[in-house]
Amino acid sequence: MKSQDIRAKFLKFFEEKNHSIVPSAPMVLKNDPTLMFVNSGMAPFKEYFLGNAKPKNNRIADTQKCLRVSGKHNDLEEVGYDTYHHTLFEMLGNWSFGDYFKKEAITWAWELLTEVYGINKDILYVTVFEGSEDENLPMDTEAYNLWKQFISEDRILKGSKKDNFWEMGDQGPCGPCSEIHVDIRSKEEKAKISGKDLVNKDHPQVVEIWNLVFMQYNRKANGSLENLPNKHIDTGMGFERLCMVLQGVQSNYDTDIFIPIIREIETIADKTYGDDEKVDVAIRVIADHLRAVAFSIADGQLPSNTGAGYVIRRILRRAIRYSFTFLNQKEPFIYRLIEVLTEKMGHAFPELKAQKQLIENVIREEEQSFLRTLDQGLVLLNRIVDESDKDIISGEKAFTLYDTYGFPFDLTSLILREKGLQIDEVGFHSEMQKQKKRSRAASEMSTEDWTVLLDDSEEEFIGYDALEANVKLTRYRKVISKKSGDMYQLVFNLTPFYPEGGGQVGDKGYLEGVYGDVVYILDTKKENNVIIHFAKNLPKHLNESIKAVVDAKQRKRTECNHTATHLLHQALREILGTHVEQKGSAVHSKYLRFDFSHFAKLTAEELHDVENFVNARIEGKLPLIEKRNIPKEEAIAEGAMSLFGEKYGDTVRAIRFGQSIELCGGTHVKNTSDIWHFKIVSEGAVAAGIRRIEAITNDAVKDFYLENNKAYFEIKNLLNNANEPVKAVQVLQDENNNLKKQIEALLKEKAKNIKGDLINELTEINGIRFLAKKLDLDATGIKDVAFNMGSQFDNLFLLFASEQEDKAFLTCYISKELVASKGLNAGKVVKELGKYIQGGGGGQPFFATAGGRKPAGIKEALEKAKDYVR
């Protein structure tokens, strides 16, 4: 059975059971501070489980893209070494929000697996929760008795809390679960050991394929459990593992999901999968990581150095280093696999087809960049080896290579082994743990339970129409973190505060109590469909009506920038072409940032045209035409633009200014004339095929021109009020360049003349011509002198020092013949003598330099140089 048929049968089965079939949510989460990525099928539905929103249908089924690489669910380091863990995987799931419970979930799971898919029941095992004395939880006898109808009791296994009690996190909905495992071993293997002894023992052919979670409890901050008002069903079946079973193969990588990718890797790398275990691991790593990175980029997350972007870069770099080390690939090639991936999965996930060119461009550039990093790392590693006089390289140096330069530890270890050296692994892991400890300490946070004051599950946002309102506090909780200290999160029955979302920052403002007490709102965010207001303290009178006031000045500036972002998007598509798509934005009160797809740097003329286009719409005084809660299809039919990577509901809000129409939940000006003026302040590259414009509007533009005007008159004053300041600056630049050339010529002449004097000062010690001296030359002049002298002698040891701008510099030159015969090393010399000038340096064995901040130490460094030749 083909993978696309397996997926289709699952969805059809649950559609016939009155489930709404919904598309996969974007893998990259934007409004959940507790998760970077969707790591389970239930993550997009958290707001329903928590009771913060109601679905249109209480029964839902889908196939969800999931990524597990960080936090509690971290499969990254296992990927490639076994045949059933993945970074990106599809989770087939069916959900019930307060509708059916254990009976239907278990009955339907069995029906689908054994009757629709035709899996032999004799290779299946199920587990049920055995109970927990610590939690005072009984065994899940209800699930046990339900399973007895379908499967013999010797195949119903009792599982511990670790395996059979599912929790969303430290707090929140949770409950017992029942796993379905499959044993696809041969008859001979089954005769040796029973499958039930291998369940949950990490055996590659005895694996869990489906987990049925029975959400019936809520975990509180103090660790206690309480019953949920409604019981829910949350199931997740691993699509790749299911395909392995139904296609009769022994590995997920042998299914038709991965085989086309593996065949393409074999062709490009000229390797055969199955011949060499190390090569096989590398091929599996690349095939898996390709999917994770491609889907992330398609969903709007580009590789970067922070947050979710860092995770994606880390995954891609792991694939690159496996291809570099084990497939001997020194040129980018992973981007070439996107073609076969799109052919295989583009029908089920159309975003792959739509973003194919972008995905290829970004991966190719990342490959080129990291391959350069690997080359640089090899140079640095060789330098460390040359400077070391021991057979063991310190873990601290290996960690610096890894942390500062991005050079992988396992590659460092491999190269050192080839050179007959060892690495201090304990020291490396010690440094790694120190860094993790620092990182954890910085982000440590504890969250208390909600204190509910008013039972009001429907919080109303009124911020489109009002900036202040009388509100009631419905619940609050305390959050303690090292970064922000003690904070309170407040929820009201209604609010004018806009929560961070769609690129726009959250509102700030204040609360005013009936007795005049004031609480400042420092930020506003949305979590699981709840608008949360952040404050340093609570209102004094919790049950009284409170006046909530948004900072109107900041809101207006933010609105100007958000509307300008829409106009900028329209301008770019009009001037550069309809290939331009928004790839990210940040709307603050002081500036706006807009990322978009385009293949080249914008010319000065194009930037000018974009500015003029936007300012023409501002001058055109276009009114805001807003449509709230209209069907998404209707908005799209009217020309509204939707963005890849955004999750939209069945009804949306459409924002129109003239011919610019977008689906948007942000706040906007009532008329484009409110923006006053639009000015681009920078344009540059973010990644391959992605450009970024930063711009300002309104008050920020006025300040920009005032600052520029002030700087202009200051420059003019320095130029003696020249009538044409630009020409005057050009004249100064020309004069400066001419003077630089003259100085360079004089220094070269000086170096040439000084060489004869320095040769006369050479002294012979133990057959080595030696000189240590301070020179009045720059670094280039000293290098020229050293190499000129070196061309005349094959037994030369030179240490030159110089002082420039209160800094000290050392240069060491040693004839290559001495390096070979005497074991002298210039890099080691400057490193050791550098301590006298409070600095350090390095270089090659025959030539090296050092710099420091203590010129007074030069004399002692020169005196100590003689010790190397005595």
Side-chain angles (χ1 to χ4, degrees):
M1 197 182 299
K2 292 182 178 178
S3 56
Q4 56 260 44
D5 297 329
I6 294 170
R7 187 189 293 115
K9 279 179 181 287
F10 177 89
L11 298 175
K12 183 173 184 291
F13 178 84
F14 282 103
E15 187 174 29
E16 290 172 351
K17 306 290 185 189
N18 300 317
H19 288 64
S20 292
I21 307 303
V22 300
S24 172
M27 198 167 64
V28 183
L29 286 165
K30 297 186 178 175
N31 289 322
D32 187 342
T34 65
L35 288 174
M36 281 185 186
F37 303 98
V38 171
N39 63 1
S40 65
M42 64 80 63
F45 306 119
K46 278 171 70 175
E47 61 195 46
Y48 302 144
F49 287 118
L50 292 165
N52 298 329
K54 293 179 181 176
K56 286 182 72 175
N57 185 346
N58 285 332
R59 297 181 179 190
I60 287 174
D62 71 349
T63 178
Q64 174 63 47
K65 300 171 289 186
C66 301
L67 191 70
R68 287 188 180 174
V69 287
S70 58
K72 176 185 171 186
H73 298 291
N74 185 352
D75 291 347
L76 182 59
E77 294 309 320
E78 295 171 15
V79 173
Y81 287 94
D82 66 29
T83 57
Y84 56 95
H85 279 98
H86 302 286
T87 49
L88 176 128
F89 59 96
E90 277 186 69
M91 185 76 87
L92 302 172
N94 58 293
W95 324 89
S96 165
F97 306 106
D99 188 10
Y100 62 82
F101 201 46
K102 294 180 186 178
K103 180 182 177 182
E104 292 84 351
I106 288 172
T107 302
W108 292 340
W110 189 257
E111 180 186 347
L112 178 63
L113 291 178
T114 61
E115 295 179 25
V116 177
Y117 287 137
I119 297 175
N120 185 344
K121 68 178 183 179
D122 292 334
I123 67 169
L124 296 174
Y125 292 89
V126 299
T127 64
V128 296
F129 180 49
E130 67 183 6
S132 168
E133 289 185 12
D134 294 341
E135 299 273 6
N136 197 27
L137 289 171
M139 175 184 158
D140 191 354
T141 53
E142 182 184 359
Y144 189 92
N145 291 330
L146 286 165
W147 279 120
K148 282 199 307 184
Q149 302 173 55
F150 305 109
I151 190 169
S152 61
E153 290 190 60
D154 64 327
R155 290 180 172 271
I156 306 174
L157 312 177
K158 296 172 185 177
S160 66
K161 181 186 166 193
K162 175 180 172 287
D163 292 320
N164 281 89
F165 194 88
W166 197 92
E167 307 207 40
M168 182 164 44
D170 294 332
Q171 293 167 243
C174 55
C177 63
S178 197
E179 299 171 338
I180 304 173
H181 294 254
V182 62
D183 181 358
I184 57 172
R185 295 174 302 149
S186 66
K187 287 181 180 179
E188 292 76 19
E189 289 172 314
K190 289 176 183 176
K192 292 176 186 175
I193 183 170
S194 171
K196 68 181 181 182
D197 295 324
L198 297 175
V199 167
N200 280 326
K201 295 292 191 297
D202 290 326
H203 191 286
Q205 275 85 49
V206 183
V207 293
E208 172 199 341
I209 56 169
W210 206 345
N211 191 12
L212 315 179
V213 180
F214 312 123
M215 295 273 200
Q216 58 191 89
Y217 301 110
N218 179 53
R219 174 78 68 186
K220 300 178 75 174
N222 63 7
S224 65
L225 294 171
E226 62 182 6
N227 288 318
L228 285 172
N230 293 307
K231 295 177 180 179
H232 311 295
I233 287 294
D234 156 20
T235 87
M237 177 152 56
F239 176 63
E240 293 80 6
R241 293 183 184 183
L242 179 63
C243 289
M244 173 180 70
V245 175
L246 295 180
Q247 292 178 7
V249 294
Q250 296 291 298
S251 159
N252 290 1
Y253 293 95
D254 293 333
T255 65
D256 69 350
I257 302 170
F258 287 99
I259 283 298
I261 300 170
I262 288 173
R263 293 289 173 261
E264 189 68 13
I265 296 171
E266 287 178 314
T267 301
I268 295 171
D270 194 23
K271 302 284 184 183
T272 302
Y273 184 66
D275 283 357
D276 181 298
E277 181 57 26
K278 288 182 179 178
V279 169
D280 291 353
V281 169
I283 289 175
R284 289 195 291 266
V285 165
I286 295 161
D288 173 274
H289 291 8
L290 166 77
R291 301 192 329 146
V293 174
F295 274 103
S296 297
I297 296 169
D299 279 350
Q301 181 58 65
L302 300 176
S304 70
N305 288 329
T306 57
Y310 171 73
V311 174
I312 299 308
R313 176 164 283 167
R314 185 170 156 235
I315 295 170
L316 180 53
R317 288 188 166 189
R318 185 171 186 255
I320 297 167
R321 66 181 163 89
Y322 271 83
S323 70
F324 180 89
T325 307
F326 301 108
L327 302 186
N328 199 32
Q329 293 300 300
K330 311 303 183 193
E331 297 293 331
F333 89 98
I334 294 173
Y335 76 95
R336 292 164 60 186
L337 304 172
I338 296 301
E339 182 74 44
V340 67
L341 175 67
T342 305
E343 285 176 16
K344 184 65 198 170
M345 302 190 73
H347 179 73
F349 301 99
E351 61 269 31
L352 282 178
K353 286 183 178 178
Q355 304 298 315
K356 178 173 174 284
Q357 188 65 57
L358 172 67
I359 297 167
E360 288 175 340
N361 289 343
V362 171
I363 291 178
R364 181 173 60 239
E365 185 175 271
E366 284 288 315
E367 286 189 87
Q368 289 169 338
S369 173
F370 190 51
L371 287 168
R372 285 194 296 271
T373 295
L374 291 176
D375 285 337
Q376 292 163 1
L378 289 171
V379 171
L380 292 167
L381 183 57
N382 287 331
R383 186 179 296 171
I384 289 170
V385 170
D386 290 340
E387 292 176 0
S388 175
D389 54 3
K390 297 177 182 176
D391 291 336
I392 298 180
I393 302 298
S394 81
E396 192 176 346
K397 285 182 179 176
F399 183 75
T400 301
L401 265 179
Y402 165 78
D403 191 46
T404 307
Y405 301 102
F407 198 75
F409 173 74
D410 54 0
L411 196 54
T412 300
S413 182
L414 180 71
I415 292 166
L416 290 176
R417 280 201 305 273
E418 289 172 354
K419 292 177 180 285
L421 299 172
Q422 292 178 292
I423 192 165
D424 175 17
E425 288 196 32
V426 174
F428 175 85
H429 291 300
S430 172
E431 292 297 317
M432 178 72 85
Q433 288 306 313
K434 285 179 192 173
Q435 188 202 55
K436 286 182 177 178
K437 195 173 179 181
R438 288 193 297 269
S439 178
R440 275 196 300 268
S443 59
E444 221 166 57
M445 179 186 290
S446 66
T447 305
E448 293 183 359
D449 287 321
W450 287 107
T451 298
V452 179
L453 301 175
L454 187 66
D455 188 14
D456 187 343
S457 59
E458 300 263 339
E459 182 188 29
E460 185 184 357
F461 173 66
I462 59 169
Y464 295 138
D465 306 308
L467 292 182
E468 59 180 72
N470 290 320
V471 304
K472 295 276 283 185
L473 183 62
T474 62
R475 52 179 155 153
Y476 69 87
R477 67 183 176 187
K478 189 177 185 180
V479 177
I480 304 165
S481 71
K482 206 149 194 174
K483 183 180 179 182
S484 305
D486 291 5
M487 293 281 281
Y488 287 92
Q489 296 182 350
L490 315 177
V491 178
F492 305 110
N493 62 326
L494 53 87
T495 180
F497 285 82
Y498 178 81
E500 179 183 323
Q504 181 177 326
V505 294
D507 280 334
K508 296 179 180 179
Y510 65 90
L511 307 172
E512 187 177 335
V514 289
Y515 301 105
D517 55 303
V518 172
V519 172
Y520 290 98
I521 299 298
L522 305 177
D523 200 359
T524 312
K525 295 181 183 289
K526 198 170 191 177
E527 183 178 329
N528 298 316
N529 207 42
V530 175
I531 298 175
I532 296 174
H533 310 73
F534 292 77
K536 275 290 184 184
N537 50 300
L538 288 170
K540 287 183 179 177
H541 306 280
L542 298 176
N543 296 307
E544 301 286 342
S545 180
I546 306 166
K547 185 179 180 183
V549 182
V550 174
D551 183 333
K553 197 169 187 179
Q554 176 168 295
R555 168 71 86 84
K556 187 197 171 186
R557 289 171 173 168
T558 305
E559 287 177 343
C560 289
N561 285 334
H562 202 150
T563 301
T565 300
H566 285 217
L567 299 178
L568 171 59
H569 193 185
Q570 183 192 4
L572 291 167
R573 287 176 64 84
E574 188 75 27
I575 291 158
L576 303 179
T578 54
H579 65 279
V580 169
E581 290 182 354
Q582 180 176 335
K583 293 299 174 189
S585 68
V587 179
H588 295 259
S589 59
K590 293 181 180 178
Y591 70 94
L592 66 93
R593 190 179 73 217
F594 189 79
D595 297 345
F596 58 98
S597 54
H598 186 55
F599 44 82
K601 179 178 174 62
L602 271 68
T603 64
E605 185 180 354
E606 286 170 334
L607 288 171
H608 185 67
D609 288 346
V610 170
E611 277 189 352
N612 285 345
F613 185 98
V614 175
N615 284 316
R617 270 81 199 148
I618 293 170
E619 291 161 15
K621 299 181 179 180
L622 304 175
L624 164 66
I625 300 173
E626 175 192 18
K627 290 187 178 180
R628 299 182 194 172
N629 299 317
I630 64 168
K632 180 187 172 187
E633 292 73 21
E634 182 183 324
I636 298 294
E638 290 179 7
M641 291 190 66
S642 61
L643 306 177
F644 270 104
E646 289 292 336
K647 182 184 176 184
Y648 297 103
D650 295 323
T651 60
V652 294
R653 177 170 175 256
I655 296 295
R656 180 174 193 147
F657 290 98
Q659 296 304 306
S660 166
I661 320 172
E662 294 195 23
L663 303 183
C664 180
T667 62
H668 290 270
V669 296
K670 302 301 179 189
N671 190 289
T672 56
S673 61
D674 297 339
I675 300 172
W676 188 73
H677 199 73
F678 170 84
K679 175 69 185 165
I680 294 173
V681 293
S682 70
E683 188 274 339
V686 178
I690 304 289
R691 309 296 300 178
R692 171 173 291 172
I693 281 177
E694 291 192 356
I696 50 177
T697 65
N698 207 281
D699 293 345
V701 177
K702 295 172 189 175
D703 293 340
F704 175 84
Y705 283 124
L706 283 172
E707 285 295 318
N708 274 289
N709 207 37
K710 181 184 174 187
Y712 170 77
F713 281 106
E714 285 176 357
I715 292 167
K716 194 173 179 183
N717 188 44
L718 288 171
L719 296 169
N720 297 321
N721 289 312
N723 291 327
E724 296 183 80
V726 175
K727 281 190 177 178
V729 170
Q730 285 175 338
V731 169
L732 280 175
Q733 284 180 325
D734 291 341
E735 289 177 358
N736 189 45
N737 288 333
N738 288 330
L739 288 170
K740 276 184 179 177
K741 288 175 184 175
Q742 289 175 34
I743 290 168
E744 283 173 11
L746 287 169
L747 286 172
K748 276 190 177 180
E749 190 63 30
K750 184 178 180 181
K752 197 185 293 179
N753 294 335
I754 207 173
K755 186 180 87 169
D757 297 334
L758 294 175
I759 288 174
N760 292 331
E761 292 184 47
L762 289 171
T763 58
E764 191 164 317
I765 304 171
N766 293 327
I768 298 172
R769 294 179 189 271
F770 173 83
L771 179 61
K773 187 179 179 67
K774 184 178 179 182
L775 301 180
D776 185 20
L777 290 172
D778 65 0
T780 304
I782 289 176
K783 184 177 180 181
D784 288 343
V785 167
F787 276 85
N788 278 330
M789 292 177 69
S791 65
Q792 290 185 238
F793 304 99
D794 59 9
N795 62 341
L796 202 60
F797 184 111
L798 301 175
L799 183 74
F800 292 139
S802 64
E803 183 180 344
Q804 295 170 35
E805 298 177 357
D806 296 324
K807 290 181 181 176
F809 298 93
L810 299 177
T811 299
C812 182
Y813 176 92
I814 303 173
S815 297
K816 289 183 179 178
E817 290 79 3
L818 287 180
V819 171
S821 63
K822 302 278 188 180
L824 293 170
N825 188 309
K828 193 178 290 185
V829 171
V830 297
K831 183 182 178 184
E832 292 172 356
L833 296 182
K835 64 187 178 185
Y836 296 107
I837 58 171
Q838 290 184 5
Q844 296 169 294
F846 68 92
F847 183 79
T849 59
R853 57 180 184 273
K854 186 186 175 185
I858 286 176
K859 184 180 178 185
E860 191 173 2
L862 292 172
E863 289 171 355
K864 295 288 184 182
K866 207 171 273 188
D867 294 344
Y868 291 94
V869 296
R870 280 185 177 141

